[in-house]
Amino acid sequence: MEFKSERSGPIDDSVIIANVVAFANTSGGTLYLGIEDDGTPTGVSRGHRNITQLAAYIFNNTVPPVQTRPVILGDGDLRVVAIGVDESSQLTCTKGGRVMHRVLKANGEPEVVTMYPYEFVSRLSSIGSYDYSAQPAPEAVLTDLDPQARDMLREGIARTHSDDDMLSLSDADFDGALGLTTRRASDGATTPTIAGIVMIGTQRALMRRVPTATATFQIMKDGSPIVDERIRMPLVRMFRRVEELLAPWNPQTEIMLGSQRANYSVFDKSAFREAMANAFCHRDYTIMSPVRFQIDEAGLTVANPGGFMRGVNFGNLLTVSPTPRNPRLADILKRCGYVERTGRGIDRIFARTVISGRPLPDYSQSTSEEVVLFLRNTAADESFARLIDDATTRRESSLPAESLIVLAALHQYGALNESDIARRTSLDRERVALALHDLSALGVVVARGKSVYESVIARGAGDDALAVSKTDRIVQIIRSLGGSASVPQIAEHYGKSYTTTLRLLKSMESEGLVLHRGSTRSSEYYV
């Protein structure tokens, strides 16, 4: 959102147009006329109170025309106009041809700036309107493709049987069928694509044709790097090199599951491989920043330049239809067996990470400029691993990804209701409900009250652990309800009776864990 003051008179109409264009070219938003920067409403000027005229002016002064949703809020002299703007599926400019977008300044405040031509490709790629990876690499020639790297690609197909029909093709046909090459529109000559150079290009070709295709691998200790390597090589070699660098820093824990021994890496190898492939597949190759791999005392960070694609956010990561930034490159990786053919590799990252009782993957550090995945470095939880093994035995098949993720959330955060689980995991309510039904039938999840669930590990913990989890749970509930709530509200989410909840709240109040205001049944506790 953006606030514009009109206390000293109407702002120039060009400012309104610039902000509308910027919203359309970013993620949409709302422009408020008549509000100060600190959020204080001071009233919109009379010249902008005719919202029908305002909408028509915006429509006629943007290209393509932007349909906005202006509404008047409040009454009297403190009326405010809110102009809702949707994200555009194409580049939008002013009638005069100027293209703007919103960026964050160093202090975190947004500003409207000109979008330059070199930024157009990045924007169009992020909304799925342009496949940069399918374009001819600039000034590339066929000798820019490394024959040995191509052989490694063939070996990958043979090993995974992902597309065996490709193996009988000649090199030229193989390259064309995979999309490693294309025909130039200008003269019809066959030339490598951006995806071709990124996938099997020579070192020299990568430096000259796609200089952005790099990665860094760092091991940090006490804030300083003890391993710091910058890597530039085709992806068929890049994947192997990054896995080699990770191996010494990824020890395993052995857990006995019945009569069998199971080894769990600190960072699950399958989850890491999928996260690595995602980072290179979905990165923005027009931005001069590397894909970053960094391990420190807290855990592993995998980051790639370019934010989430349009319509993707943490709340729907596990449910939204996959839309790659680089469709041609994504198709090559799928057909060669490097990533899930379904495009649902994110499910594997979550499921494989939590299978040993480790915390859920964390994407909360992601911004509009970068997707950041953080995998916490914690010890494997033997009781959780055994619980999964028992459930798998009873089910006579592996647990679905959704069931693993829901069980992990209950293990990590304690007792939760369906809404809390959906918020913590990025799953929708329907999938959460199905997973809970599956887990309850297997006896690994139990209901507390009408709508609150916990894992049998938590239910079977000692009295001291339960006491801690109860107080933590109450604090979580109050915070989820906005920081304060009545006893009936807390009891409903906690899954206990009014009397039991009130008794616990009074005990927590005496310990200073919560505060209380009011004296009636609807009085509130707050944190």
Side-chain angles (χ1 to χ4, degrees):
M1 66 178 68
E2 180 75 21
F3 298 150
K4 293 297 180 183
S5 171
E6 295 201 325
R7 185 163 48 182
S8 57
I11 62 172
D12 193 271
D13 289 340
S14 63
V15 175
I16 296 175
I17 297 298
N19 277 271
V20 167
V21 167
F23 274 127
N25 285 330
T26 313
S27 301
T30 304
L31 173 63
Y32 291 90
L33 306 181
I35 298 183
E36 305 303 307
D37 287 341
D38 62 2
T40 303
T42 51
V44 65
S45 67
R46 293 187 179 277
H48 288 144
R49 291 185 184 180
N50 187 331
I51 57 176
T52 302
Q53 183 178 348
L54 184 61
Y57 180 82
I58 294 171
F59 185 86
N60 291 324
N61 285 274
T62 50
V63 180
V66 177
Q67 291 188 327
T68 55
R69 302 179 305 282
V71 295
I72 295 178
L73 307 176
D75 52 29
D77 291 335
L78 287 183
R79 280 183 287 183
V80 169
V81 169
I83 306 173
V85 184
D86 291 328
E87 181 180 6
S88 175
S89 60
Q90 53 191 313
L91 284 178
T92 301
C93 67
T94 67
K95 195 172 183 179
R98 189 180 176 197
V99 183
M100 278 86 73
H101 63 151
R102 285 165 64 87
V103 299
L104 293 179
K105 295 189 288 187
N107 62 4
E109 294 180 0
E111 66 174 336
V112 174
V113 299
T114 297
M115 181 187 290
Y116 293 101
Y118 70 86
E119 298 174 294
F120 292 175
V121 170
S122 179
R123 170 59 186 167
L124 290 171
S125 295
S126 72
I127 59 179
S129 296
Y130 184 81
D131 184 2
Y132 180 65
S133 68
Q135 306 308 309
E139 300 181 6
V141 293
L142 293 178
T143 53
D144 285 335
L145 301 180
D146 184 348
Q148 292 182 340
R150 183 188 294 109
D151 290 342
M152 292 172 66
L153 206 55
R154 287 182 180 273
E155 290 169 7
I157 296 174
R159 184 176 60 255
T160 60
H161 301 289
S162 51
D163 199 342
D164 287 339
D165 291 342
M166 298 290 298
L167 299 178
S168 61
L169 300 179
S170 66
D171 287 348
D173 290 341
F174 178 87
D175 293 348
L178 267 184
L180 301 171
T181 59
T182 189
R183 291 189 179 277
R184 278 197 303 258
S186 58
D187 57 9
T190 300
T191 185
T193 59
I194 294 291
I197 298 294
V198 168
M199 203 72 208
I200 62 169
T202 64
Q203 189 84 357
R204 184 170 182 270
L206 284 164
M207 292 181 65
R208 301 185 65 173
R209 318 302 186 202
V210 195
T212 57
T214 59
T216 59
F217 186 94
Q218 290 183 319
I219 305 295
M220 306 294 291
K221 187 173 182 181
D222 299 327
S224 299
I226 58 174
V227 174
D228 190 357
E229 182 168 328
R230 190 174 185 89
I231 315 166
R232 177 182 275 115
M233 54 182 63
L235 288 188
V236 290
R237 291 195 174 96
M238 178 78 79
F239 292 149
R240 294 187 184 184
R241 179 56 184 158
V242 174
E243 287 182 327
E244 288 171 358
L245 290 168
L246 174 68
W249 309 95
N250 193 24
Q252 294 184 330
T253 299
E254 185 179 275
I255 297 176
M256 289 299 299
L257 301 178
S259 60
Q260 303 293 320
R261 289 184 173 88
N263 292 314
Y264 296 94
S265 300
V266 172
F267 309 112
D268 182 85
K269 294 179 181 178
S270 177
F272 175 76
R273 194 172 297 118
E274 198 69 38
M276 174 173 59
N278 277 358
F280 286 110
C281 180
H282 297 295
R283 70 150 293 166
D284 188 336
Y285 283 96
T286 69
I287 297 177
M288 287 294 291
S289 295
V291 172
R292 296 188 294 113
F293 302 91
Q294 186 181 89
I295 298 177
D296 57 21
E297 293 83 354
L300 166 66
T301 298
V302 180
N304 63 266
F308 288 125
M309 291 290 285
R310 183 179 60 172
V312 179
N313 54 61
F314 177 72
N316 62 16
L317 268 178
L318 291 169
T319 55
V320 69
S321 297
T323 305
R325 184 186 303 275
N326 301 294
R328 176 66 59 83
L329 181 59
D331 183 63
I332 295 170
L333 291 171
K334 289 176 188 176
R335 294 176 68 182
C336 296
Y338 287 95
V339 298
E340 283 276 342
R341 292 191 70 89
T342 61
R344 297 301 320 169
I346 190 75
D347 301 47
R348 176 182 289 183
I349 295 172
F350 271 73
R352 294 299 307 175
T353 296
V354 304
I355 200 167
S356 58
R358 292 188 168 93
L360 291 161
D362 180 6
Y363 282 89
S364 63
Q365 299 175 60
S366 300
T367 68
S368 60
E369 306 296 328
E370 184 179 48
V371 173
V372 182
L373 166 63
F374 179 67
L375 303 176
R376 190 167 296 280
N377 181 358
T378 60
D381 189 315
E382 293 191 24
S383 61
F384 187 83
R386 292 194 180 100
L387 182 66
I388 296 296
D389 184 61
D390 290 343
T392 301
T393 301
R394 292 177 205 167
R395 200 174 188 275
E396 299 182 348
S397 64
S398 299
L399 287 176
E402 291 87 350
S403 297
L404 272 173
I405 294 166
V406 167
L407 186 57
L410 294 174
H411 182 64
Q412 181 175 345
Y413 297 109
L416 300 170
N417 61 29
E418 288 186 11
S419 296
D420 291 334
I421 296 171
R423 180 169 54 83
R424 297 281 191 181
T425 63
S426 304
L427 291 168
D428 57 52
R429 289 284 297 272
E430 183 178 355
R431 297 190 193 200
V432 168
L434 290 172
L436 287 170
H437 181 271
D438 182 31
L439 295 169
S440 298
L442 292 170
V444 295
V445 161
V446 291
R448 283 172 43 178
K450 292 189 301 181
S451 59
V452 177
Y453 299 84
E454 67 179 351
S455 72
V456 293
I457 296 176
R459 175 58 63 91
D463 292 339
D464 291 341
L466 279 174
V468 173
S469 68
K470 287 177 181 177
T471 57
D472 286 348
R473 175 62 187 144
I474 292 295
V475 171
Q476 290 174 3
I477 290 171
I478 294 174
R479 285 176 175 162
S480 71
L481 293 172
S484 64
S486 65
V487 179
Q489 289 176 312
I490 298 171
E492 179 184 355
H493 285 75
Y494 186 41
K496 296 290 185 181
S497 68
Y498 177 91
T499 304
T500 301
T501 305
L502 179 61
R503 188 182 301 119
L504 179 56
L505 283 166
K506 286 187 175 298
S507 173
M508 292 174 65
E509 182 185 4
S510 67
E511 296 175 17
L513 298 175
V514 296
L515 300 173
H516 182 230
R517 56 184 172 224
S519 56
T520 66
R521 186 180 175 87
S522 61
S523 63
E524 292 185 327
Y525 285 85
Y526 61 98
V527 293

